[in-house]
Amino acid sequence: MNDFYLNKTFSDLSSDLLVNKVRANMDEARFRHCQGVSITARKLAKLNNYDEDKAALAGFIHDYAKQVANDEFIRVIKDPKNNFNQDLLNWNRAIWHGIVGTYFIKRDLSITDSEILTAIKRHTTGDVEMTTLDKIVFVADYIEPGRSFSGVDEAREVTFSNLDAGVGYELAHTLQFLANNRQKIYPKTLAAYNVWGIKKEK
Ligand code: GDP
Ligand code: FE
Ligand code: FE
């Protein structure tokens, strides 16, 4: 990925060290996805007058914990020192890797910026309230160049013309996908859909 670069790490780590730590925590396909999300987040930040370097960093690390083992997630959720809601134990790694991923990002990458950590936390489910950075990471994850599901071109068009519309498109389609596969809907996904996914009154 030639156009992937970080100007800032929002951490004491150098850019090279941070990139190598991320690479070491996942397989090659997931690493390329993280670079793709970073590139897309940078473009969306420019388009929406947001800090491009912060969006590029948040996009790059959003799936840092994607390949952490289940028993490791469970150990971190159960440790009272970490203050995680114990209801998380009723969910699975699809839901854990963002929310609980913030623990590993703080521990391994020394990133403490609350805007970045919140965007990581919300990147899978969205939320009722979403900052510009939350929205950028959420949709960049969905439309990065490596994604190829049916409808992705329409998702790209919608998102590059209007960020909020992109969030709505993704939530509506994710909800549809989950229901079609008879999967359990995380309450935040549904609450986010009710805010961002519905047609606005004219
Ligand atoms: P990825 O980490 O780049 O693969 O993308 P995401 O973090 O957006 O999504 C991870 C997985 O979580 C996807 O397979 C989604 O379909 C799934 N997911 C998102 N919302 C929900 C939900 O409410 N319930 C369940 N069961 N899965 C969800
Ligand atoms: Fe993810
Ligand atoms: Fe992702």
Side-chain angles (χ1 to χ4, degrees):
M1 288 266 181
N2 305 329
D3 33 6
F4 166 72
Y5 62 95
L6 299 174
N7 284 326
K8 289 175 71 179
T9 62
F10 297 84
S11 152
D12 297 337
L13 304 185
S14 69
S15 171
D16 281 355
L17 187 53
L18 182 131
V19 170
N20 285 336
K21 278 182 183 252
V22 171
R23 194 198 305 269
N25 213 41
M26 58 190 64
D27 63 29
E28 188 57 31
R30 182 59 50 179
F31 182 71
R32 278 199 301 273
H33 165 68
C34 289
Q35 289 181 312
V37 175
S38 178
I39 291 165
T40 306
R42 182 181 288 285
K43 285 187 189 152
L44 287 168
K46 191 175 170 66
L47 213 59
N48 291 280
N49 304 308
Y50 189 79
D51 181 341
E52 290 175 46
D53 292 324
K54 195 163 187 173
L57 187 273
F60 180 58
I61 63 170
H62 81 287
D63 274 344
Y64 178 72
K66 183 78 180 178
Q67 291 170 346
V68 166
N70 274 339
D71 55 354
E72 180 76 351
F73 277 127
I74 291 167
R75 186 189 64 75
V76 171
I77 294 166
K78 283 185 172 168
D79 186 338
K81 283 202 292 293
N82 301 324
N83 282 316
F84 281 113
N85 187 333
Q86 298 301 295
D87 174 60
L88 282 168
L89 295 170
N90 299 315
W91 295 85
N92 60 25
R93 50 186 308 105
I95 299 299
W96 295 337
H97 79 278
I99 299 168
V100 188
T102 57
Y103 167 89
F104 297 96
I105 286 169
K106 282 188 267 190
R107 187 191 72 181
D108 301 347
L109 306 178
S110 309
I111 288 168
T112 55
D113 182 284
S114 63
E115 277 183 21
I116 293 173
L117 295 173
T118 300
I120 308 296
K121 196 173 86 180
R122 293 176 174 163
H123 91 260
T124 302
T125 62
D127 209 333
V128 172
E129 282 183 28
M130 292 178 82
T131 67
T132 301
L133 182 62
D134 297 343
K135 294 173 188 170
I136 287 173
V137 174
F138 185 71
V139 298
D141 189 16
Y142 197 59
I143 63 165
E144 61 97 356
R147 295 286 198 200
S148 61
F149 56 88
S150 97
V152 70
D153 286 329
E154 189 183 8
R156 289 181 180 125
E157 273 170 39
V158 170
T159 304
F160 277 100
S161 65
N162 183 291
L163 185 61
D164 283 4
V167 172
Y169 186 99
E170 177 176 345
L171 281 164
H173 285 82
T174 298
L175 214 63
Q176 223 162 45
F177 170 84
L178 293 168
N180 282 341
N181 289 288
R182 297 292 183 91
Q183 291 197 55
K184 193 156 77 160
I185 311 287
Y186 192 66
K188 272 215 168 118
T189 307
L190 186 57
Y193 167 77
N194 281 338
V195 172
W196 304 102
I198 53 169
K199 282 189 183 144
K200 298 285 177 275
E201 300 284 333
K202 292 241 169 73

